[in-house]
């Protein structure tokens, strides 16, 4: 099976590439903006015609799009997350390769959820920021393209390689600095947020399964269990051997209002309904949050 992977040098893309390379039946070609790509191409600025010619030359059976941006202004997010996907869809329509498209979406497309609820794929999307809007527009382009396509709406990725600017990445870095300086307390904000954390290696397994399946439409990829960031911080402290105290600067018991600085625009709660992934892809998460956090900490500890 010939697979064209877009965004192979990104956080999720790196693990998808590793997963596919481990499958002897896959012949992988990576396309991206970096020097480590097999072919250099910028989806946000490249023409559909140029990409169509490449598709006709390589003739992949599956195209996986892990490319995109998570930060920046509305214009940049639209360019990298929406315009780029429009280019992919148009190129596939023009091409004679007939490839299946696996698009990486995200839970930010849904926006805030009712606490205690599980968000299913038929929920009405109400993204709470420009990132979610740009990803939702990409999903609509893919699902309305007439292509053989599936969109994996990934909830909160975690595990090795977690970006330092993400909430859990910042938490690990703050803990590393506290341990390095001998501080016995750590002051944190926003720990009341609850998210469905799913390991990036499980996400890569889901992408692999989606590539081989005939399922179409949107499919949630998560664990089906929301975890309070406060509990994740406590678990990370145990994994790291941090014996100090964790102080919440926005603890409502101290008279301060709760803060939700989590950058996905989804408010205080998000939890996936993952029955579709189980039933249509045969996929279930395998890696627990403690293992994911241990891998995050191992990377942070190497900087001590």
């Amino acid at each position: 099976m010939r697979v064209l992977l877009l965004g192979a040098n990104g956080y999720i893309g790196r693990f998808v590439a590793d997963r596919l390379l481990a499958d002897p039946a896959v012949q992988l070609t990576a396309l991206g903006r970096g020097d480590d790509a097999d072919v250099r191409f910028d989806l946000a600025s490249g023409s559909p015609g140029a990409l169509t010619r490449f598709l006709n030359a390589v003739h992949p059976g599956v195209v996986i799009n892990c490319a995109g941006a998570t930060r920046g202004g509305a214009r940049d997010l639209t360019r990298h997350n929406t315009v780029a996907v429009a280019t992919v869809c148009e190129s596939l329509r023009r091409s004679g390769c007939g490839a299946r498209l696996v698009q990486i979406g995200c839970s930010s497309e849904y926006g805030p959820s009712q606490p205690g609820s599980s968000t299913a794929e038929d929920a009405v999307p109400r993204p709470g920021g420009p990132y979610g809007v740009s990803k939702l527009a990409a999903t609509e382009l893919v699902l309305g393209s007439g292509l053989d396509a599936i969109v994996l709406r990934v909830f909160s990725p975690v595990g090795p390689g977690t970006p330092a600017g993400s909430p859990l990445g910042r938490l690990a870095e703050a803990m590393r600095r506290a341990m390095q300086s001998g501080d016995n307390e750590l002051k944190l904000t926003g720990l009341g947020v609850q998210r469905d954390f799913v390991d990036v290696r499980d996400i890569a397994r889901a992408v692999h399964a989606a590539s081989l399946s005939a399922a179409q439409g949107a499919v949630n990829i998560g664990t089906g269990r929301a975890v309070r960031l406060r509990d994740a911080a406590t678990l990370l402290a145990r994994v790291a051997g941090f014996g100090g105290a964790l102080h919440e600067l926005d603890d409502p018991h101290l008279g301060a209002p709760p803060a939700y600085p989590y950058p996905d625009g989804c408010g205080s709660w998000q939890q996936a309904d993952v029955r579709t992934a189980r039933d249509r892809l045969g996929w279930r998460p395998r890696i627990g949050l403690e293992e994911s956090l241990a891998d995050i900490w191992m990377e942070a500890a190497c900087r001590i």
Side-chain angles (χ1 to χ4, degrees):
M1 181 174 67
R2 292 180 178 176
V3 177
L4 176 62
L5 176 59
L6 312 175
N9 60 343
Y11 174 36
I12 293 176
R14 292 195 300 272
F15 288 90
V16 171
D18 289 344
R19 177 77 186 184
L20 294 173
L21 288 170
D23 183 347
V26 171
Q27 181 181 336
L28 181 64
T29 300
L31 183 149
R33 291 179 291 168
D35 293 334
D36 52 349
D38 296 321
V39 178
R40 293 191 66 178
F41 188 86
D42 187 345
L43 289 173
S45 60
S47 72
L51 184 56
T52 299
R53 290 190 292 273
F54 179 74
L55 289 171
N56 287 335
V58 176
H59 212 79
V62 178
V63 174
I64 300 172
N65 184 25
C66 296
T70 58
R71 286 174 173 76
R75 178 177 296 180
D76 285 339
L77 290 169
T78 300
R79 190 163 62 91
H80 289 288
N81 295 335
T82 310
V83 174
V85 171
T87 297
V88 173
C89 290
E90 180 61 22
S91 301
L92 283 168
R93 278 194 296 264
R94 295 184 188 181
S95 170
C97 68
R100 173 172 171 79
L101 174 60
V102 180
Q103 165 72 13
I104 305 303
C106 71
S107 61
S108 293
E109 298 173 37
Y110 291 119
S113 303
Q114 185 68 28
S117 67
S118 293
T119 303
E121 290 84 356
D122 60 358
V124 177
R126 295 186 177 89
Y131 172 65
V133 170
S134 69
K135 292 295 287 185
L136 176 60
T139 290
E140 296 296 338
L141 284 169
V142 170
L143 298 185
S145 66
L147 300 168
D148 174 14
I150 185 171
V151 177
L152 301 183
R153 277 182 170 151
V154 173
F155 278 63
S156 299
V158 66
T162 294
S166 70
L168 288 177
R170 289 198 303 269
L171 178 60
E173 177 62 17
M175 199 166 290
R176 180 195 70 80
R177 288 197 303 266
M179 294 178 70
Q180 190 174 25
S181 61
D183 292 342
N184 60 1
E185 65 176 11
L186 195 56
K187 296 179 180 179
L188 304 166
T189 62
L191 297 186
V193 170
Q194 296 182 71
R195 288 292 180 271
D196 190 332
F197 296 108
V198 56
D199 192 278
V200 67
R201 291 159 292 192
D202 279 333
I203 296 169
R205 287 180 42 249
V207 174
H208 191 196
S211 301
L212 300 173
S213 80
Q216 296 185 342
V219 177
N220 289 340
I221 302 299
T223 65
R225 184 174 72 93
V227 175
R228 196 179 302 274
L229 199 56
R230 179 186 306 119
D231 297 330
T234 301
L235 186 56
L236 180 63
R238 185 166 74 240
V239 166
F242 177 69
L246 301 179
H247 293 299
E248 296 180 59
L249 298 182
D250 52 352
D251 188 341
H253 295 100
L254 300 178
Y260 303 122
Y262 213 97
D264 57 8
C266 294
S268 64
W269 170 276
Q270 207 175 48
Q271 177 175 282
D273 182 329
V274 293
R275 289 175 293 180
T276 301
R278 179 194 64 200
D279 296 342
R280 299 179 66 190
L281 300 182
W283 175 89
R284 296 174 186 266
R286 294 177 180 172
I287 299 174
L289 182 57
E290 183 169 0
E291 182 177 345
S292 302
L293 291 172
D295 288 329
I296 291 175
W297 176 248
M298 185 175 295
E299 294 178 345
C302 288
R303 297 192 290 271
I304 293 180

